[in-house]
Amino acid sequence: MIGDYVPLAFKNLSRSEENYLNLLNRDIDELIQFSIQSLNSKEIEDLLDITDKEDFIDEFNNTDLYFKLNKIINDNAINGLKPLRSFYKIGSKLGYQSLNIRPRDLNAYDDEAIVILSDYVKGLVTNLNESVGIGIRETLYDGAINEYPLNNIALDLLKVPTMVVDRFQINTHSRMIATTEYSRAVNTGTLQSFSNSGVQDVNIITTGLPNVCDICIGIEENNPYTLEEAMRLLPVHPHCACSVISANSVYTNFNGNPVIIDLTQ
């Protein structure tokens, strides 16, 4: 991926991207709602009496709230992987259809590509949820040092998705995952269908919309690319909507060992 470029004008979400974003945001809301429900517990009452930051963090990390939040975070990371296979199959179907081949059932090579993709996305979703956990902790500490009543802290917890943690506003981070990982999964499926069919060269194409960035335009102008080169380019940047088509006018029904597509490099 080239840098951390994020387009100023977000593209409209597809239905699949919107559903994925809603799933990610529901998981975020689960963390926040659980924290709000825990405010009346004795351990949080004692925690809010601590104003030294290091002591607060040490005590927070030993609360039942902390351990239960971590369990929810782990569950959410698995939950965030559920749509990937369907996204991959969309790309696989598109790839075979573009080659005038009847879409095939997923094979061992597809399964291997999906494992690589899933391991990568699990890390992203875990990081997103951990950012929410940090936001919850910081909101509780802010309540402690300012002696806010519980009602005020609860209202502030609802604002956690607008907090900036590790460079990204949380709700912007969830949108970036929804759009970028949808594109990554679809393109992985398409490229793997090409690899399974003996296609060796591909063209990377933009959406052609007015907000296409100069980086993507330049990549499109330099077509074609080998499968290995395309793997090092896609997705070009967060929110990238570029897709791939075969550059081969002739291909063979490949019976060798296909390249396993990895767009997480």
Side-chain angles (χ1 to χ4, degrees), residues 37-106:
Q37 294 167 11
S38 302
L39 287 178
N40 290 316
S41 65
K42 181 64 166 59
E43 69 171 6
I44 298 303
E45 179 183 341
D46 293 341
L47 181 69
L48 294 175
D49 288 332
I50 303 172
T51 56
D52 179 81
K53 185 66 176 284
E54 290 187 6
D55 290 344
F56 183 93
I57 293 175
D58 287 343
E59 189 61 31
F60 176 82
N61 289 345
N62 285 300
T63 61
D64 188 52
L65 170 62
Y66 173 79
F67 292 111
K68 288 183 176 177
L69 286 178
N70 276 337
K71 182 182 184 308
I72 295 173
I73 287 170
N74 290 332
D75 291 343
N76 287 353
I78 295 172
N79 195 40
L81 300 180
K82 290 179 180 178
L84 291 183
R85 192 175 186 87
S86 64
F87 297 163
Y88 180 97
K89 290 174 75 173
I90 290 172
S92 179
K93 182 178 180 180
L94 289 171
Y96 286 123
Q97 287 179 337
S98 71
L99 299 175
N100 294 315
I101 297 175
R102 182 178 178 180
R104 303 170 179 170
D105 292 334
L106 301 186

Side-chain angles (χ1 to χ4, degrees), residues 179-242:
T179 59
T180 310
E181 301 320 309
Y182 170 78
S183 175
R184 194 191 311 271
V186 171
N187 281 331
T188 300
T190 300
L191 286 169
Q192 192 63 56
S193 72
F194 290 166
S195 180
N196 293 345
S197 304
V199 171
Q200 298 180 351
D201 298 301
V202 299
N203 290 331
I204 296 174
I205 57 174
T206 69
T207 62
L209 296 174
N211 63 344
V212 173
C213 72
D214 291 340
I215 300 174
C216 291
I217 291 173
I219 288 174
E220 184 179 46
E221 290 174 346
N222 283 290
N223 281 320
Y225 299 94
T226 65
L227 288 176
E228 289 80 1
E229 289 171 335
M231 281 196 286
R232 292 193 292 270
L233 290 171
L234 292 171
V236 180
H237 53 69
H239 304 288
C240 182
C242 288

